Amino acid sequence: MDMNASNKDDFAQSAKERLAQAGKTKDESKRLGWGATMGAAILFAALLLALIDYWLVLPLGARLAGSGALAALVLLGIYRLIRFYRQPTSLKEAALDTEAERPDLGCEVSTAAEYLTGERSATHEYEPELVAALQSKVADELRAAPVPGRKGLLVPLWLFAGALAGLLLLAAFTPAGVTALTRTALPFVDKHYTRVEVKPGNIEIPVGRDLDITNIFSGRLPNDARFHWLEAGSNDWRSVALNSSTNGVYVHSLRSVPADLKYRATGSDATSDVYEIKTYVPPEVKAFSVKIDYPDYSRHKPTVQQTPDINVLRASSATVQITPNVKLSKATLRFSAASNVELTGDGENRWAANFKITKDTDYWIELVDEKGHKGINEKPFHIKAMSDTPPRVEMIEPGKDIRAAATNTVPMRISVADDFGVGEIKVVYHVLGGAEQNILARREGETNGEVTATAELRLESLGLKEYQVVAYHAEAKDDNTLDGPGVGRSRVYFIEITNEETGDSKTKAKGEKANLLAIQKQIISDTAALAAAAPADKFNQLAEREKVAREFGQMYLSAMSSNSAPAAAVAEMEAALKDMQQAGSQLGKRKRSDALPPEESALAHLYQALKQMPALKNLPVKPELAKEKLPQSDRLAAALEAIKKKKKEEPDDKQIEAALKEARDLSRAQASVNAALRNDDAADQGENEGDGQAANESAKKKNEKSQARPGNKNQQEAKSKSANQAQGQGQGKGEGQAQGEDKNDQPKDQKDQAKQQAKNQKGANNPGQGQGDGKGNKGDEPQSPKQQGEEQSDQDSDQQEPEQLAEKQDELSKEAAALAEMLQRLASRNTRVGQHAGQKAGQAAKNMAAAAQSMKQGNFGAAGVNGLQGEAELGEVISQLEKVVAGRVERADVANEDFPKEYEALISEYLKKLSHAE
């Protein structure tokens, strides 16, 4: 009995547990299904709202409404989920679900569930047995059947998965997808598809300054970018569209900002912060002046100018004084190539500073006002520190290579010009191969800054022998005590000691062809003029010229050796060639001082070869020896026309001489203007002296100028008469000067007049006047209009007003420009002239024009500096042209020689190197 009761309870408990498990499973399925369904709905709604906002950029209200709908869905889902938890599935409902799954069970499971839950009870005696049997059967059926309740979950789960995948794809692959979802879910969060950065933001700028506003958009680039601004005192914002974007960067330029303003930028859904531009009056220089104190040795009066660009002699001191437009806290001169200099205020809003000018530099004036605002000149001012150029030295007499007897005394006349005064003047000479000696020259006078000096070279004291050669040149020092003195040198000339008639040297005989003596002398002269630190190509050019000269000498040596020339002549020629080789080697090593001795030794040996074999004459490049001594078949005697056909004849040398004359005239005229400026300074300094004394000095000076004029016809006639009556050997360059062996035979007044003219003669600067034949006979040449104008100008220079000086300076600058054009045309046709002379003439014209402009502005200090610089550059032009004229025989006639065919390439190369050397 008890066992049956126990079995009944077991069956009932088993059925109950199976039904309870089925109910629990159903509850879980219902909650999971509901959660997935609501989650999918919420995600799909959020995805839809995010896409709409991404494309349309919804306003805040629309996004708030969308986020409210999403919140309602979430609340609904939570509410239903809570109900599912609070109302679990009953046993009968679980039984009914089981019966629905298995219709074959009929109502047994639900009936058993009713008895188990107490909804139905046994009222009859037989019912307990029947209920127990029913429960036992149901328990067996439930064990064999699967637990129901998992149906209906697949669709919600797939929907949820699909919605979640859509959101992930939006966030991962759509630009600003996360931003769209954030804006949808959290509309109050400050998230934008477009971001904007504005530069420079808040800023202070000077009134009237331009300002570029850079607006940098990122994220989704806008199509409606705009710039907005609000002017001070206004309530209306104004705007303008921003165009011309580069990668989202828009630049808007505000021109001449007149006052304070506010601004911002917008584009798409982005709006920048509001920034402010504040304006202020910038500190500027209202008044500027600079006082220039020149070095003491220059004896130049201090000058004051109001222009900030400074052109001045280096080592000058500059005192800059400025007056700003506002009160300053600091002022500085900032240099590009020097340390900064602080200006000092005087309490009355004037600031000053002093500094020394030693090199070229740019500078700026930096100002800082009391509020810390800065002001500076945008374009730099310029300082040019001009060096004190060495004196320009010309050997006027003899001024060329000459022949003389060993007992002669050679009178010399020297012209020296310097921008700030001439010191010692001397003649430096030596016998080739001997030590240098010098003679101090005597000053004869000074006109317009040009000093004339004389000296006498007594050849007898040198113990010279026939066919020896003396090299000589003039040197002068300036008064530069700072880093000088500067030393200027004339070109090197030669005196040949022969028993022939005194006159031009063998290298200068009229109408002769180029010769080896001239070539070697030119090499010596160019080497002497070469700076020790000259570029390597200059040394290489001279080395090549020496090599070609040696090859010409080798041609003579071969001819001499094959025709039984005197052994002594052959030995001298061999020694000359050996020295040429040594000189070329030293030039190749850039050893100027070591190259000169063998160069001069080679020239000395060439002259000794002439002494031993006079038939060599002056060693022409076309060997005359071949015509006189050698058979027609000899290689030196063969004359071909190949070179004539390949080389064009150079332009007439008269054009070069005319350019040289024009340059000399311009140089003298410019010197006159410069002297007039200096005289004005001297007059200002000596204005307290007596008027009578000043008048006497002025009259004396004018009298000296009148006597020094080369165009004085009476003086020229007197000098010509004196020269014709003298017995001796004439020398000089265009002077017709004679040395009389019996000077007492001349009338005393004629001798005195000739002597006085020799002392004051200025015509030596112009070789075209009074051209002599070297024997004392002199021809007269009328003065040019320019010379006549210069004579009158020099006489009146002390009386000229600044306006007249400015007009004269302007005319001279135009003439210098015309000279530059002439030289450039000559250079294009004549390689001897080269481009350097034309370029220097052009620079001189510019400086002279600047001097004229400075005179018109009353800035006489700058005018004097520019005028002196123009005069110095004209001096370089004269020096260059003198070299061309002096070397025209060596250069021009070589092109017309007839050479053996086998030497055609050699001669052609030599001509090229000579042209390039210029």
Side-chain angles (χ1 to χ4, degrees):
M1 181 74 178
D2 294 335
M3 184 174 293
N4 291 333
S6 175
N7 289 334
K8 292 178 182 178
D9 293 337
D10 291 338
F11 292 144
Q13 185 64 30
S14 175
K16 187 176 181 179
E17 290 177 354
R18 294 296 296 173
L19 289 174
Q21 181 65 33
K24 184 179 179 181
T25 301
K26 181 177 180 180
D27 289 338
E28 291 176 351
S29 298
K30 288 169 58 178
R31 290 193 292 268
L32 182 60
W34 176 251
T37 301
M38 292 305 298
I42 293 171
L43 292 179
F44 274 119
L47 178 61
L48 179 61
L49 289 173
L51 290 174
I52 294 174
D53 183 65
Y54 179 80
W55 291 109
L56 301 180
V57 189
L58 296 175
L60 178 61
R63 288 187 284 120
L64 285 174
S67 62
L70 292 177
L73 287 175
V74 171
L75 292 176
L76 176 62
I78 294 174
Y79 172 75
R80 291 292 304 272
L81 191 61
I82 292 174
R83 289 192 60 186
F84 286 143
Y85 274 102
R86 295 182 66 178
Q87 296 178 357
T89 302
S90 64
L91 293 179
K92 184 176 181 179
E93 185 177 353
L96 292 173
D97 291 338
T98 301
E99 290 173 350
E101 292 286 337
R102 293 185 60 184
D104 59 301
L105 295 178
C107 296
E108 295 177 350
V109 179
S110 59
T111 302
E114 289 176 354
Y115 281 107
L116 289 174
T117 59
E119 293 182 16
R120 179 181 297 186
S121 60
T123 57
H124 301 284
E125 293 183 358
Y126 59 89
E127 285 187 37
E129 294 293 335
L130 292 174
V131 170
L134 178 63
Q135 290 176 344
S136 174
K137 182 180 180 180
V138 168
D140 292 337
E141 294 293 341
L142 291 176
R143 285 192 199 96
V147 179
R150 296 291 185 183
K151 295 180 61 176
L153 288 179
L154 188 60
V155 173
L157 290 177
W158 274 111
L159 289 175
F160 181 81
L164 183 62
L167 289 176
L168 293 176
L169 290 175
L170 177 66
F173 298 103
T174 304
V178 175
T179 301
L181 294 174
T182 303
R183 285 166 55 87
T184 299
L186 305 171
F188 287 106
V189 175
D190 187 19
K191 281 286 186 178
H192 303 279
Y193 296 109
T194 303
R195 294 175 297 279
V196 60
E197 179 184 3
V198 179
K199 296 180 179 180
N202 295 320
I203 190 174
E204 287 185 330
I205 63 171
V207 172
R209 185 73 56 86
D210 296 343
L211 180 65
D212 289 338
I213 305 297
T214 302
N215 307 277
I216 305 173
F217 289 90
S218 58
R220 180 191 295 177
L221 298 183
N223 296 322
D224 57 346
R226 299 189 69 80
F227 179 81
H228 307 259
W229 73 94
L230 177 65
E231 297 178 351
S234 174
N235 295 323
D236 297 329
W237 283 85
R238 301 171 63 186
S239 67
V240 64
L242 293 174
N243 300 315
S244 302
S245 166
T246 302
N247 297 326
V249 178
Y250 298 80
V251 178
H252 180 71
S253 297
L254 296 174
R255 302 299 182 189
S256 302
V257 179
D260 296 353
L261 59 83
K262 296 179 180 180
Y263 70 98
R264 69 171 185 260
T266 62
S268 186
D269 64 329
T271 300
S272 72
D273 295 334
V274 176
Y275 299 103
E276 188 172 2
I277 300 174
K278 292 186 176 181
T279 58
Y280 63 90
V281 177
E284 296 178 346
V285 175
K286 184 170 63 175
F288 175 93
S289 67
V290 56
K291 178 184 177 184
I292 304 297
D293 292 297
Y294 295 86
D296 293 338
Y297 77 84
S298 69
R299 299 188 295 275
H300 200 291
K301 185 179 178 181
T303 60
V304 177
Q305 67 180 57
Q306 278 71 45
T307 55
D309 289 332
I310 303 172
N311 294 333
V312 70
L313 179 66
R314 60 94 192 86
S316 298
S317 294
T319 301
V320 172
Q321 179 173 299
I322 64 169
T323 302
N325 61 336
V326 296
K327 294 288 185 180
L328 298 181
S329 62
K330 184 180 179 181
T332 306
L333 296 178
R334 178 165 61 85
F335 297 92
S336 62
S339 301
N340 294 347
V341 175
E342 299 292 335
L343 285 85
T344 304
D346 62 357
E348 296 183 2
N349 208 28
R350 288 193 298 265
W351 296 72
N354 178 270
F355 59 93
K356 182 163 286 188
I357 297 173
T358 58
K359 56 185 175 181
D360 294 352
T361 183
D362 292 337
Y363 76 99
W364 295 261
I365 304 176
E366 294 182 345
L367 307 177
V368 181
D369 65 15
E370 294 177 334
K371 294 182 179 180
H373 299 137
K374 294 182 179 181
I376 187 173
N377 48 295
E378 295 181 356
K379 294 183 178 180
F381 303 128
H382 310 290
I383 294 178
K384 182 174 180 60
M386 297 183 296
S387 60
D388 188 356
T389 57
R392 178 168 56 86
V393 183
E394 295 181 59
M395 178 67 74
I396 301 174
E397 295 180 10
K400 59 181 177 179
D401 298 341
I402 62 172
R403 294 196 303 270
T407 59
N408 278 23
T409 296
V410 181
M412 297 183 177
R413 187 176 181 82
I414 306 161
S415 173
V416 182
D418 188 71
D419 42 9
F420 295 107
V422 178
E424 181 183 76
I425 305 173
K426 62 183 179 181
V427 175
V428 181
Y429 64 96
H430 67 283
V431 181
L432 294 187
E436 281 192 348
Q437 304 180 55
N438 61 76
I439 305 171
L440 288 178
R442 299 180 301 275
R443 292 177 182 246
E444 297 292 332
E446 181 175 356
T447 304
N448 296 332
E450 183 176 1
V451 177
T452 303
T454 60
E456 290 184 344
L457 176 56
R458 301 183 184 277
L459 300 179
E460 186 175 10
S461 64
L462 299 177
L464 298 169
K465 298 179 181 180
E466 192 176 4
Y467 280 94
Q468 283 191 307
V469 179
V470 177
Y472 71 96
H473 68 276
E475 285 188 5
K477 297 180 180 179
D478 60 18
D479 291 332
N480 181 359
T481 58
L482 185 68
D483 55 5
V487 179
R489 297 177 177 85
S490 71
R491 62 165 297 174
V492 177
Y493 297 100
F494 299 90
I495 303 175
E496 304 168 5
I497 308 304
T498 68
N499 58 1
E500 302 178 28
E501 184 180 8
T502 303
D504 288 345
S505 70
K506 287 180 174 294
T507 60
K508 296 294 183 181
K510 185 176 180 180
E512 287 187 348
K513 302 296 185 179
N515 57 79
L516 189 55
L517 295 178
I519 292 172
Q520 188 63 21
K521 285 182 179 180
Q522 187 65 45
I523 291 174
I524 294 172
S525 180
D526 292 346
T527 303
L530 191 66
D537 61 326
K538 298 294 184 181
F539 282 94
N540 293 335
Q541 290 172 5
L542 282 173
E544 287 296 321
R545 289 166 60 187
E546 189 68 270
K547 177 183 176 182
V548 174
R550 183 176 180 275
E551 291 170 349
F552 285 143
Q554 189 64 49
M555 293 166 58
Y556 275 97
L557 181 60
S558 299
M560 294 163 65
S561 300
S562 62
N563 288 276
S564 302
V570 173
E572 293 292 346
M573 184 62 71
E574 289 175 344
L577 297 181
K578 182 178 179 181
D579 287 335
M580 289 180 180
Q581 184 175 13
Q582 182 183 356
S585 175
Q586 297 299 329
L587 288 170
K589 298 175 183 177
R590 301 179 65 183
K591 295 182 178 180
R592 169 188 169 277
S593 58
D594 293 339
L596 276 171
E599 287 178 357
E600 293 182 351
S601 178
L603 181 61
H605 283 300
L606 290 176
Y607 271 99
Q608 291 303 312
L610 289 180
K611 177 181 178 181
Q612 300 296 328
M613 193 174 180
L616 291 174
K617 294 186 177 180
N618 58 359
L619 297 172
V621 174
K622 176 181 177 182
E624 299 294 334
L625 179 64
K627 293 183 178 180
E628 298 181 5
K629 301 254 180 177
L630 303 180
Q632 186 67 23
S633 60
D634 191 272
R635 62 200 297 265
L636 290 177
L640 300 176
E641 298 294 330
I643 300 300
K644 289 183 178 180
K645 295 178 181 179
K646 296 179 67 175
K647 297 290 293 181
K648 294 183 179 180
E649 184 178 357
E650 297 282 10
D652 191 349
D653 285 330
K654 291 183 179 180
Q655 297 179 12
I656 303 176
E657 292 178 352
L660 175 58
K661 179 177 179 298
E662 176 69 15
R664 284 172 169 161
D665 291 344
L666 273 174
S667 179
R668 285 195 295 271
Q670 183 60 40
S672 173
V673 174
N674 293 341
L677 288 174
R678 288 196 293 270
N679 289 340
D680 288 342
D681 289 343
D684 292 340
Q685 293 174 347
E687 63 182 356
N688 294 327
E689 297 180 2
D691 294 340
Q693 181 180 354
N696 291 336
E697 291 296 329
S698 176
K700 180 179 178 181
K701 183 175 181 181
K702 293 179 182 179
N703 186 43
E704 289 177 353
K705 291 178 182 178
S706 177
Q707 291 178 356
R709 288 298 159 200
N712 192 314
K713 184 174 181 181
N714 293 332
Q715 289 180 350
Q716 289 179 346
E717 290 176 353
K719 185 175 181 182
S720 178
K721 288 180 180 180
S722 176
N724 289 331
Q725 291 174 3
Q727 296 177 3
Q729 296 167 338
Q731 301 176 38
K733 185 177 182 180
E735 290 293 332
Q737 184 178 357
Q739 289 183 341
E741 295 180 356
D742 188 7
K743 297 180 180 179
N744 294 328
D745 292 342
Q746 298 183 39
K748 186 175 185 301
D749 58 344
Q750 289 186 357
K751 289 196 294 181
D752 291 342
Q753 186 177 14
K755 182 178 180 180
Q756 180 65 26
Q757 180 170 358
K759 190 176 294 185
N760 297 324
Q761 180 73 357
K762 285 293 290 178
N765 285 339
N766 187 356
Q769 274 203 335
Q771 185 70 28
D773 59 3
K775 298 180 182 180
N777 298 326
K778 174 183 176 185
D780 291 333
E781 182 176 309
Q783 287 181 301
S784 66
K786 179 183 289 293
Q787 291 171 322
Q788 295 173 0
E790 288 168 0
E791 179 174 358
Q792 182 63 34
S793 173
D794 287 343
Q795 293 174 356
D796 296 338
S797 62
D798 292 336
Q799 302 175 359
Q800 287 183 331
E801 296 296 330
E803 294 81 1
Q804 296 174 329
L805 281 177
E807 292 177 2
K808 180 177 180 181
Q809 183 67 84
D810 193 43
E811 293 175 0
L812 291 177
S813 69
K814 294 177 181 178
E815 293 177 9
L819 174 63
E821 294 180 2
M822 177 196 301
L823 291 173
Q824 289 170 357
R825 289 194 301 270
L826 280 174
S828 66
R829 303 194 305 269
N830 189 336
T831 57
R832 293 181 298 141
V833 176
Q835 299 294 332
H836 181 73
Q839 292 171 355
K840 281 296 179 183
Q843 293 174 6
K846 292 180 181 179
N847 282 314
M848 293 160 72
Q853 185 64 26
S854 297
M855 290 181 194
K856 295 176 182 178
Q857 296 174 351
N859 190 351
F860 293 98
V865 171
N866 286 319
L868 288 172
Q869 191 169 3
E871 182 183 356
E873 286 162 344
L874 286 174
E876 294 187 39
V877 175
I878 293 171
S879 178
Q880 180 75 10
L881 294 179
E882 283 178 342
K883 289 181 180 180
V884 176
V885 172
R888 65 177 177 266
V889 176
E890 297 93 303
R891 286 163 166 72
D893 291 344
V894 170
N896 297 324
E897 292 294 346
D898 301 335
F899 298 107
K901 184 67 175 179
E902 58 268 28
Y903 292 102
E904 180 177 350
L906 174 66
I907 302 303
S908 177
E909 183 65 20
Y910 173 72
L911 292 172
K912 291 179 182 178
K913 296 189 183 302
L914 282 182
S915 298
H916 292 162
E918 283 297 331

